[in-house]
Amino acid sequence: MAKVITFSNQKGGVAKTTSAVMTVGNLVNRGYKVLLIDTDPQANATDFVAPHCDGTRSIYSVITGQHPVEEVIVHTEEFGDVLPSSSQLYNDEILSSNPFAIKEIIDAVRNSYDYIVIDTPPNLGKVQIADILASEYLVIPTKATRESVKGIQMLIDTIYQYLEYNPSMEIVGILVTMSDKRVLAVRENMKFIKQLAESIEVAVFSNWIRAAQALVGEAELFHTNVFARKARNKAKDDYDGFVSELLHRIERMEGKV
Ligand SMILES: Nc1ncnc2c1ncn2[C@@H]1O[C@H](COP(=O)(O)OP(=O)(O)O)[C@@H](O)[C@H]1O
Ligand SMILES: [Mg+2]
């Protein structure tokens, strides 16, 4: 039975998509069966891992009953299975009558996977809420800037509002992305992040993701799973450390260790 891991933050540009795709690539490389669900109408994750998708079959067409999910999931060599998104999902009214639509899609396929990873859109609209209702383990990527930190409180407030309808969901932690510990402003802003995290009783992953334009940019451009390649890179190493920590924390939350 798959565990459902969601990368969520209403801010754009904090590496939600990159973290979701890197996590999927890493889990696939570890030998797990993984499904990536793209729920952002911008479809950046879809473009990264399955660039041939043209949007005619997508999570939108599953929610609206045009296609069964099995006919929409795309099998990729590098990143496992993908449920693509499409710009049609900007019409999020389709979730008004059933905010559990994404959970229902997951329930229909969860027996086939070890992990299901959800990439979310950069706002707190109906899709984000449907994602929260479908999630088991939430990761909040953020940059270590003062501005990025501000949004976290708002996100947590929204999450708590919906926890009533999905009480078993756990916030696994805050993942600091694109941040180099050697930069003074990063270290200073980390103090704010840790303070905030402590006050809301949320963990901060000890593995930070450093900025590494070459790796992320090239991987995106060439649609490659960096974990299946020999090339060494700091962001690749950081994501490997993060995934180990993520799996360990999940096991701990399940009471296994
Ligand atoms: N560790 C990193 N180093 C350098 N660039 C990164 C890193 N992570 C993400 N990026 C780049 O930052 C931009 C925003 O990342 P993205 O994952 O699309 O954020 P989001 O999904 O939160 O909007 C993208 O251009 C991406 O390639
Ligand atoms: Mg994104």
Side-chain angles (χ1 to χ4, degrees):
M1 270 274 260
K3 303 183 206 317
V4 184
I5 302 167
T6 300
F7 289 84
S8 182
N9 188 327
Q10 78 278 22
K11 257 194 87 62
V14 295
K16 289 185 294 296
T17 299
T18 304
S19 301
V21 169
M22 291 291 164
T23 300
V24 165
N26 189 277
L27 288 170
V28 166
N29 199 50
R30 289 177 190 226
Y32 292 112
K33 259 210 115 217
V34 186
L35 171 68
L36 170 63
I37 302 184
D38 187 358
T39 70
D40 182 355
Q42 291 178 71
N44 297 140
T46 303
D47 291 342
F48 196 138
V49 304
H52 55 280
C53 288
D54 62 5
T56 49
R57 282 168 193 252
S58 70
I59 186 161
Y60 181 90
S61 63
V62 179
I63 295 170
T64 52
Q66 298 166 67
H67 298 111
V69 63
E70 298 78 17
E71 288 178 18
V72 178
I73 288 175
V74 175
H75 309 285
T76 75
E77 212 165 285
E78 302 248 326
F79 293 97
D81 286 2
V82 184
L83 179 52
S85 189
S86 108
S87 58
Q88 289 175 301
L89 199 57
Y90 279 116
N91 172 21
D92 63 0
E93 282 305 317
I94 57 163
L95 289 163
S96 296
S97 59
N98 183 11
F100 289 96
I102 294 174
K103 181 178 175 8
E104 287 167 10
I105 292 172
I106 289 174
D107 286 343
V109 298
R110 64 191 306 149
N111 281 335
S112 308
Y113 300 99
D114 300 309
Y115 294 97
I116 294 177
V117 174
I118 305 180
D119 185 25
T120 65
N123 58 54
L124 290 175
K126 295 190 173 73
V127 176
Q128 185 78 248
I129 289 159
D131 286 335
I132 290 172
L133 294 175
S135 303
E136 292 169 342
Y137 299 100
L138 209 84
V139 178
I140 303 173
T142 184
K143 286 192 201 174
T145 62
R146 196 73 72 85
E147 187 213 348
S148 299
V149 179
K150 275 195 211 151
I152 294 177
Q153 182 73 59
M154 205 199 297
L155 175 66
I156 302 274
D157 289 347
T158 304
I159 292 167
Y160 280 134
Q161 212 178 313
Y162 289 94
L163 223 48
E164 184 186 340
Y165 305 100
N166 183 12
S168 59
M169 192 187 69
E170 302 264 14
I171 302 173
V172 193
I174 295 171
L175 172 66
V176 178
T177 61
M178 295 184 246
S179 300
D180 198 323
K181 279 182 191 174
R182 285 174 307 184
V183 177
L184 176 67
V186 166
R187 290 202 303 272
E188 285 302 306
N189 285 322
M190 271 313 289
K191 288 183 193 160
F192 285 100
I193 293 180
K194 284 184 174 154
Q195 248 171 26
L196 170 71
E198 211 168 290
S199 71
I200 56 180
E201 292 179 8
V202 170
V204 179
F205 283 95
S206 54
N207 285 274
W208 295 8
I209 313 299
R210 286 166 288 180
Q213 195 51 55
L215 169 93
V216 178
E218 277 169 34
E220 214 173 334
L221 185 64
F222 299 115
H223 315 286
T224 47
N225 180 356
V226 292
F227 298 101
R229 304 283 189 284
K230 283 223 167 66
R232 286 196 65 86
N233 180 286
K234 48 191 185 176
K236 177 180 168 183
D237 295 344
D238 293 347
Y239 272 112
D240 190 46
F242 157 69
V243 173
S244 295
E245 191 181 355
L246 173 69
L247 299 188
H248 185 73
R249 280 176 188 267
I250 288 176
E251 282 196 353
R252 240 182 17 211
M253 286 171 159
E254 289 178 333
K256 289 197 183 143
V257 285

